[in-house]
Amino acid sequence: MVIFTIPKIEHYLPKIEKTTVWSLLCFSFLLEMKGIVFTEFLQFVEDSHGYDVVDVVISYVDLPSEGAYTSVGSYPFEEMVTLLMQTSQQTQTSPSELLRLFGHHLFSVFLKAYPQFFEGVTSSFEILSTLESKIHPEVRKLYPDAELPTFEVGEMHDDQMILDYQSNRKMGDFALGLIEASMTHFKEDGNIDVEKLDQEGTNVRFNITKNA
């Protein structure tokens, strides 16, 4: 296993999406994130790349928590940025792609943890349209102080949905992964057009179109 040092952020910018890196760093010192996101991210890395990569990522970076996370704890968002960047370097995968794939992973976790939300549901649009009304309230029961993104349905038809995402954490790529995973689960084909509604990436619009 080759261990890489973490160069200054400027080293990454020509190689990966600048907006993704800066979007994450802008709020890294201001916000906390629930521990379940950390534990599932590390599980995602292990499932995708093996435990050796997880071991290197945790042991080689300076984390105040030392990588010892509990699902109900709260940890600085800065640590997630650190884990993401080191995982990106170890796997040669861009941060935005890691976040998108992590969205797929968390959808499968959610599916197993909350099967009741999928009972009688026949499409991705049905589940996506209940994020605010049914799913987030249940998450808040478990994690009352969790800072969740907001999802607003701007328009919905049988074959098209406009879904607006808003979060100070600016993880639109993660939201894209969730949407893709929901369509895969319901065996739907289609296209997802992503439009950033502001330069920072706190507001993102997903125009989802299903193929007939």
Side-chain angles (χ1 to χ4, degrees), residues 37-47 50 54 57-58 67-69 80 83 87 102:
V37 181
F38 288 85
T39 58
E40 288 300 336
F41 180 77
L42 294 177
Q43 186 62 56
F44 154 69
V45 176
E46 180 176 349
D47 291 346
V54 176
V57 168
I58 292 178
Y69 303 110
M80 178 54 70
L83 290 171
T87 302
F102 183 42

Side-chain angles (χ1 to χ4, degrees), residues 61-175:
V61 295
D62 183 18
L63 299 171
S65 69
E66 298 182 347
Y69 303 110
T70 64
S71 62
V72 296
S74 296
Y75 305 92
F77 187 49
E78 176 191 1
E79 291 200 23
M80 178 54 70
V81 176
T82 301
L83 290 171
L84 180 68
M85 296 304 295
Q86 181 65 5
T87 302
S88 172
Q89 192 174 10
Q90 291 293 330
T91 63
Q92 297 297 294
T93 307
S94 72
S96 63
E97 180 66 2
L98 284 172
L99 286 174
R100 187 184 70 83
L101 294 174
F102 183 42
H104 280 256
H105 171 83
L106 266 194
F107 182 88
S108 66
V109 171
F110 178 78
L111 182 62
K112 294 176 183 177
Y114 299 100
Q116 64 270 26
F117 288 122
F118 294 85
E119 294 177 359
V121 177
T122 60
S123 74
S124 61
F125 286 4
E126 287 185 61
I127 199 70
L128 292 172
S129 65
T130 63
L131 285 171
E132 289 296 322
S133 62
K134 294 183 179 180
I135 297 173
H136 281 180
E138 292 299 318
V139 174
R140 289 190 176 93
K141 289 179 183 178
L142 294 174
Y143 309 102
D145 58 342
E147 182 179 339
L148 301 175
T150 60
F151 291 90
E152 181 178 348
V153 178
E155 186 177 330
M156 187 168 70
H157 306 285
D158 289 343
D159 61 352
Q160 184 181 29
M161 169 187 270
I162 294 177
L163 187 65
D164 288 343
Y165 159 94
Q166 194 282 325
S167 174
N168 286 336
R169 289 197 174 97
K170 309 175 182 182
M171 295 174 66
D173 295 306
F174 170 76

